[in-house]
Amino acid sequence: MVKITGYETHDVRFPTSLTGDGTDAMNTDCDYSSAYVALLTDSDLVGYGMTFTIGRGNEIVCAAIKEVAKRLVGKDTESLFADMGKAWDYMMADPQLRWIGPEKGVIHIASGAVNNALWDMYARSRKKPLWKLIVDFTPEELVRSATFRYITDAITREEALAMLKEKEAGKKEREEEVKRVGYPAYVTSAGWLGYSDEKVARLTKEAVAQGFNHFKMKVGASLSDDLRRGNLIRSIIDDPQFLPPNTTPRDPKSPALQGKNAGPTGAVLMIDANQVWDVPEAIEYVSALQEIRPWFIEEPTAPDDVLGHAAVRKGLKGVGIGVATGEHAHNRMVFKQLLQAEAVDVAQIDSCRLAGVSEVLAVLLMAAKFGVPVCPHAGGVGLCEYVIHLSLIDYIAISGTMERNVLEFVDHLHEHFVTPCSINAQGRYNVPMNPGEGYSIEMHKSSIAEFEYPNGTYWKGRGEEGKAAEA
């Protein structure tokens, strides 16, 4: 019998603000950061988890992680693994911690780090990557692993079970197919707001050469700048000369690209405002970007404003631009309402804004019922490593489709992880296959030693003042 005996937390921050990585209209000074936890046992079994922040405030999340993790100390791991939905309910049920949520804010994202660590431990104990652990579940086991509290007006356990049983027949074929071709990805790294036009052009050409055909750029600081940058990106992604050798342009009218405003090479552009506008302003501003033909506007307004997103979606229908959100949707209830209100064309779960895998499963099930594709957010340290597992679970076991889905890829900081994600020559995620990697979020000890704040070797003696002076 293996018991959880304790935990370690680490405040790990990377100085990405010095290069402009991660910059957008709302967040102009981003140090990609990990509030990191290791759940320890009385054996060699360890579970790793984290949640993502952009720097200052990471210490608050780490303090919350400690309080949440305490609740699991002394618990038998196999008892927890036997019913992960029940384990999630127990983890979230401390009344005093719940009071300062409930199920939102710092406590919720801290709970995500701990729940992800527990799932990582479960997968490692079975010597499977996380996605494989879950897709090998029976429909009953998968339903038992999710949380359904507060969402049964949108989907019941019985409905979820029926959906999963319906998808059982093709699971093995879908698994083999995605192993063969990889999971579709899109690139954000070329479109950060703080980059010069020269850097945007260079990175866009590199991304096209790597096989990507979906691209995202940040907008919202200046309409004229956005039009200039959007037309610059379009001039590259729509030009066949930049395609990899012997590559045939994709058909813009194919089922996978229908409604995405794809250009002549089949390339798709998306835009992201990171919550910068009020509702009327969002409709007016995005309508003025019609000439760069985006598929969708991401986070056009406040992330909790369900009816606002519905209004933006309705207002943009006439110009053929969709709406996506979810990166900052802090729990499954917000996703429930976005789906019920027909407020989004694309749902964008975040692997650690939601409270871990068990809550993510609930959102994947709801989105499948409503027929809305899930394209997870992955613009931060560790998120790409996380979300490839979630998209594989969605495709193989839940929705049964990846034809229109694309998973965000940001080419930053993967070298700090023991089992980093990777992209193939067709611009698609490779399927994680290491039986010992769990949820793929274990960080190199050397990276923690260098970038732990404030006493890691990089930060020691620097602090905030030192960083600003260096910039």
Side-chain angles (χ1 to χ4, degrees):
M1 189 166 64
V2 177
K3 287 191 175 182
I4 296 174
T5 57
Y7 50 85
E8 294 176 357
T9 63
H10 299 277
D11 176 348
V12 185
R13 308 186 193 185
F14 301 97
T16 51
S17 59
L18 301 181
T19 54
D21 299 341
T23 49
D24 57 59
M26 185 65 76
N27 307 294
T28 56
D29 187 22
C30 305
D31 283 331
Y32 277 0
S33 301
S34 168
Y36 186 76
V37 60
L39 286 179
L40 310 175
T41 69
D42 54 7
S43 73
D44 293 335
L45 184 62
V46 179
Y48 300 96
M50 58 150 280
T51 198
F52 168 69
T53 82
I54 59 170
R56 190 161 46 85
N58 214 32
E59 67 273 28
I60 300 172
V61 182
C62 284
I65 287 172
K66 293 176 183 177
E67 295 304 313
V68 175
K70 283 179 185 176
R71 195 158 171 83
L72 297 181
V73 173
K75 295 297 179 185
D76 170 56
T77 57
E78 289 300 323
S79 296
L80 295 170
F81 300 159
D83 191 333
M84 288 293 278
K86 184 177 179 182
W88 190 90
D89 288 340
Y90 173 78
M91 194 187 78
M92 303 297 291
D94 182 311
Q96 297 191 7
L97 295 183
R98 179 179 168 77
W99 182 262
I100 56 174
E103 297 194 38
K104 55 181 171 285
V106 171
I107 285 296
H108 207 61
I109 63 175
S111 299
V114 178
N115 186 248
N116 287 340
L118 186 61
W119 274 102
D120 178 71
M121 180 184 287
Y122 186 4
R124 288 169 183 271
S125 75
R126 300 305 191 259
K127 296 182 168 46
K128 294 181 180 182
L130 179 87
W131 70 268
K132 180 62 172 166
L133 172 78
I134 294 177
V135 301
D136 285 348
F137 282 175
T138 65
E140 290 81 3
E141 288 172 327
L142 200 155
V143 167
R144 198 162 60 240
S145 298
T147 176
F148 284 83
R149 191 176 193 182
Y150 303 136
I151 65 169
T152 53
D153 55 326
I155 188 169
T156 65
R157 291 176 181 272
E158 292 73 23
E159 286 177 310
L161 186 59
M163 284 169 44
L164 294 171
K165 285 183 174 179
E166 189 180 320
K167 292 293 188 294
E168 273 282 278
K171 272 174 62 174
K172 193 62 185 173
E173 291 76 14
R174 290 192 294 274
E175 181 176 332
E176 293 307 314
E177 173 69 3
V178 75
K179 285 179 183 176
R180 184 179 66 81
V181 302
Y183 194 91
Y186 73 86
V187 65
T188 298
S189 302
W192 297 125
L193 211 56
Y195 287 175
S196 66
D197 284 4
E198 292 73 22
K199 188 169 183 178
V200 168
R202 174 176 60 81
L203 292 175
T204 302
K205 290 175 184 176
E206 290 175 3
V208 173
Q210 290 166 354
F212 290 100
N213 83 316
H214 285 64
F215 307 83
K216 191 167 77 180
M217 63 174 265
K218 301 293 185 174
V219 298
S222 161
L223 181 58
S224 59
D225 285 349
D226 292 341
L227 285 168
R228 187 189 72 254
R229 292 166 62 249
N231 280 305
L232 172 61
I233 292 173
R234 270 286 179 202
S235 72
I236 296 167
I237 66 178
D238 288 347
D239 192 335
Q241 72 168 308
F242 296 113
L243 293 173
N246 305 313
T247 299
T248 304
R250 304 183 192 192
D251 180 5
K253 296 180 180 178
S254 68
L257 297 177
Q258 260 183 351
K260 290 187 176 183
N261 296 324
T265 65
V268 177
L269 179 64
M270 300 98 85
I271 56 176
D272 184 357
N274 293 91
Q275 318 157 28
V276 76
W277 300 309
D278 281 1
V279 170
E281 185 183 12
I283 297 169
E284 180 181 4
Y285 195 111
V286 177
S287 296
L289 293 174
Q290 185 180 1
E291 71 179 69
I292 63 173
R293 306 187 312 283
W295 170 23
F296 62 63
I297 174 65
E298 180 178 339
E299 284 199 319
T301 192
D304 303 339
D305 189 356
V306 174
L307 297 182
H309 278 85
V312 173
R313 184 171 184 248
K314 183 179 179 181
L316 293 177
K317 273 194 178 296
V319 295
I321 299 171
V323 170
T325 199
E327 168 184 347
H328 284 84
H330 49 239
N331 56 40
R332 64 205 176 281
M333 290 77 81
V334 175
F335 278 103
K336 177 187 76 170
Q337 293 173 44
L338 288 166
L339 293 166
Q340 289 173 326
E342 299 182 351
V344 288
D345 298 275
V346 174
Q348 296 174 304
I349 56 170
D350 183 280
S351 56
C352 45
R353 174 76 56 180
L354 294 172
V357 175
S358 290
E359 188 172 33
V360 167
L361 292 176
V363 177
L364 293 178
L365 289 163
M366 282 192 291
K369 179 185 172 181
F370 281 81
V372 172
V374 177
C375 300
H377 166 244
V381 60
L383 300 189
C384 294
E385 278 68 27
Y386 266 153
V387 294
I388 178 56
H389 292 269
L390 303 178
S391 287
L392 290 170
I393 294 163
D394 180 45
Y395 168 54
I396 298 169
I398 299 177
S399 72
T401 180
M402 62 175 174
E403 188 174 66
R404 298 182 57 76
N405 298 51
V406 278
L407 175 54
E408 186 170 17
F409 177 74
V410 176
D411 194 13
H412 303 306
L413 306 172
H414 303 296
E415 67 274 15
H416 297 290
F417 294 91
V418 174
T419 51
C421 67
S422 63
I423 296 289
N424 66 24
Q426 288 71 49
R428 300 165 81 101
Y429 274 85
N430 291 310
V431 173
M433 294 299 294
N434 185 327
E437 70 183 279
Y439 204 178
S440 304
I441 212 68
E442 181 183 0
M443 199 175 285
H444 287 296
K445 289 181 172 57
S446 58
S447 295
I448 295 173
E450 184 175 2
F451 291 103
E452 185 156 18
Y453 189 89
N455 294 315
T457 54
Y458 175 85
W459 291 109
K460 200 167 180 64
R462 261 188 180 90
E464 291 297 318
E465 291 180 8
K467 184 194 73 174
E470 185 176 338

